[in-house]
Amino acid sequence: MTTPYLPPNQPQLPPSSLAGPALPVLAETLRSLFKELGRSQRDFSAHVYWDHTAVSRYLRGERLAPWEFVDTLLREVEIARGKPMSPEKRERIAALHRRALEERNGWSALVQVLRQDNQQAEERARRAESELQALATTRQARDKGWRWSAFTNSLAERGWPEVSLTALERVTARALACLADPTAEAPYRTSGVITAGAQSGRTTIGAGVIARALDAGYRLVIVFSGTLNLLRSQTQRRLEEALLASDDADQQLQARFPLLRLTSEESDYRSMPSGVALQFEKRHKALPLFSPLNLHPAVPRLLVVKQNVAVLKKLLKDLRAAGPILEEVPALIVDFEPSPPYLALYGSGYGNETGIQSRIDLIRSEIVSLLPRAQVVRFEHQVTCDSSSAITTMRSESLWDGPPDFVVSAHPREPRWAWEDPA
């Protein structure tokens, strides 16, 4: 029988791998890949909507699997591995499948090979278009800063003067610059302090930092408010006013860049079944969540929780239930409650109040430990540093006890806060 013509430059397997018929070799390769999934054939068949009997025959080598099935199996293996398969491995399997087609169907294999190549080209084109759209969204969110622009525009409409907006922009930009890149391959955890006195606009500054962080790609924002329900509700309300839609223009922004709130003004954090609300969707399942192709399409979560042992334990339990995905989530933790003076003077073992605070700090530290990509920003009344500088950088292994990694002074020279709400 005359060997059918195949398109040029098609990858071929080494002769040793093609000894004998190709179909048994292909079936053995598919079985080896299938074992990596760790699931039954019937469960897999139902998952990919493929006939169970046909799947069994493909894996035993009784029938030649169509390329659509092979491609589906390869995608499922990539998901199970958590990373894409190497192009060389994919091409070797494709070449083996072509050889099996050639041996089994002769000249008709040419038609199937060309159809397979056309399907692969169309799939690559669809993926490329999807990736381009995701990258365009990424650049828009990063370069234009949709949430930050909407936030500052709303402040300007409320009558904030230019000098106040400039001061707010300066502080929030410097704080964000000290945080880790949310798309970085290696996880990096940072703890910093923003100095801001009582009744001086801490929530406004924090809202600005959160808005910038969401634009940059942070997808989980946990806000620790005070110990009272009233304080937590006030913080939730003010953050929603800053970050959510308030008019028709903002409604369009909200539809394009949604924000999932896991707490409300009326309700503190509540336990959720299996931490389902903390499971983040990935457009490209073979890539990590912090990849730009997954990060910006993912819907960010916002939680405003009271610093209460019972509430924090619920959050800690659900974070544990969320599983390994949290290792890929760029998170921002904002602590609006300054450390009590007695805690700094006497430490965590002084009195009942400091004992409770110690338990709270322990739970918060456990929460942070589940988030390797967490960045912690605390608000303090005063931090000892050079008053002539707007930012001080230090290193620390502790996120709450030791010196911070950086300090951003909200007013290095101004005698009063420059962004007090004119209302």
Side-chain angles (χ1 to χ4, degrees):
M1 183 179 65
T2 304
T3 301
Y5 169 78
L6 293 178
N9 300 324
Q10 293 294 338
Q12 301 295 325
L13 289 172
S16 60
S17 300
L18 291 175
L23 180 57
V25 180
L26 176 64
E28 182 180 357
T29 302
L30 298 182
R31 287 196 300 272
S32 176
L33 291 171
F34 181 80
K35 289 180 180 178
E36 296 188 35
L37 301 180
R39 60 199 314 174
S40 67
Q41 291 184 15
R42 189 172 299 278
D43 180 54
F44 172 77
S45 302
H47 176 67
V48 298
Y49 301 102
W50 211 281
D51 181 70
H52 170 252
T53 302
V55 170
S56 179
R57 290 177 178 176
Y58 297 154
L59 296 178
R60 290 200 303 265
E62 296 177 1
R63 290 180 57 184
L64 175 60
W67 177 252
E68 292 84 355
F69 172 80
V70 177
D71 188 51
T72 298
L73 177 59
L74 295 181
R75 287 201 303 269
E76 291 298 317
V77 170
E78 288 178 331
I79 294 172
R81 292 177 177 178
K83 61 180 180 179
M85 186 176 295
S86 68
E88 294 79 11
K89 179 68 173 178
R90 267 186 166 269
E91 290 301 333
R92 286 171 60 87
I93 296 174
L96 181 58
H97 187 266
R98 292 189 185 95
R99 180 63 182 267
L101 277 173
E102 174 189 340
E103 293 177 351
R104 197 170 184 85
N105 298 327
W107 276 102
S108 63
L110 174 61
V111 176
Q112 297 187 47
V113 167
L114 293 177
R115 183 182 296 116
Q116 170 185 323
D117 290 343
N118 182 59
Q119 291 173 346
Q120 290 178 322
E122 291 179 352
E123 177 64 21
R124 286 194 294 268
R126 285 194 296 269
R127 290 184 180 180
E129 182 180 0
S130 175
E131 291 175 359
L132 286 174
Q133 292 177 350
L135 287 174
T137 302
T138 297
R139 293 191 182 98
Q140 287 178 341
R142 182 189 62 216
D143 298 339
K144 295 186 178 181
W146 293 104
R147 292 190 186 278
W148 169 253
S149 297
F151 173 51
T152 53
N153 289 341
S154 67
L155 294 179
E157 292 174 357
R158 288 164 52 188
W160 278 50
E162 189 67 27
V163 63
S164 301
L165 295 175
T166 301
L168 180 62
E169 181 173 4
R170 182 198 68 222
V171 173
T172 55
R174 284 176 173 167
L176 186 69
C178 295
L179 306 182
D181 179 2
T183 63
E185 286 286 338
Y188 180 71
R189 193 179 285 143
T190 303
S191 173
V193 166
I194 298 178
T195 59
Q199 304 300 319
S200 58
R202 288 200 308 266
T203 307
T204 302
I205 302 171
V209 173
I210 293 173
R212 286 186 179 275
L214 291 173
D215 287 336
Y218 285 90
R219 285 299 171 260
L220 176 61
V221 178
I222 301 176
V223 177
F224 293 131
S225 67
T227 58
L228 302 177
N229 289 326
L230 178 61
L231 294 177
R232 195 212 66 83
S233 297
Q234 289 176 345
T235 301
Q236 177 92 32
R237 182 180 68 253
R238 295 191 64 182
L239 288 179
E240 290 183 1
E241 291 173 352
L243 301 173
L244 298 178
S246 59
D247 53 32
D248 292 341
D250 284 344
Q251 289 287 353
Q252 298 177 3
L253 171 69
Q254 182 67 15
R256 190 169 187 180
F257 301 102
L259 178 64
L260 178 59
R261 292 167 291 166
L262 303 186
T263 57
S264 66
E265 184 177 349
E266 297 79 19
S267 175
D268 203 339
Y269 186 81
R270 296 178 178 175
S271 297
M272 301 178 184
S274 303
V276 62
L278 296 170
Q279 292 287 348
F280 288 79
E281 64 285 348
K282 296 199 291 187
R283 178 174 294 184
H284 298 269
K285 298 187 181 301
L287 298 175
L289 182 68
F290 56 79
S291 168
L293 296 177
N294 282 326
L295 192 59
H296 288 278
V299 177
R301 274 70 163 166
L302 172 66
L303 303 83
V304 181
V305 295
K306 181 169 70 268
Q307 297 204 49
N308 174 275
V309 172
V311 174
L312 293 177
K313 281 186 175 180
K314 294 176 185 178
L315 175 58
L316 177 61
K317 179 181 178 181
D318 286 351
L319 286 171
R320 287 171 175 166
I325 186 63
L326 294 184
E327 298 178 2
E328 304 176 5
V329 179
L332 176 66
I333 298 178
V334 180
D335 186 358
F336 277 123
E337 189 68 10
S339 301
Y342 58 78
L343 194 60
L345 288 173
Y346 300 102
S348 60
Y350 181 77
N352 184 55
E353 289 184 332
T354 54
I356 294 175
Q357 184 66 39
S358 178
R359 293 175 61 193
I360 290 175
D361 288 347
L362 179 61
I363 299 174
R364 295 192 303 179
S365 296
E366 290 187 61
I367 289 173
V368 174
S369 69
L370 298 175
L371 301 164
R373 297 176 177 273
Q375 313 296 300
V376 179
V377 175
R378 298 162 16 219
F379 282 82
E380 296 287 351
H381 292 316
Q382 183 178 2
V383 174
T384 302
C385 62
D386 183 2
S387 61
S388 64
S389 173
I391 178 171
T392 301
T393 303
M394 294 175 281
R395 289 297 306 159
S396 170
E397 296 301 326
S398 173
L399 292 174
W400 266 280
D401 296 332
D405 298 328
F406 66 87
V407 176
V408 174
S409 178
H411 56 106
R413 293 185 178 87
E414 294 86 348
R416 62 187 294 276
W417 298 94
W419 47 81
E420 290 178 351
D421 193 335

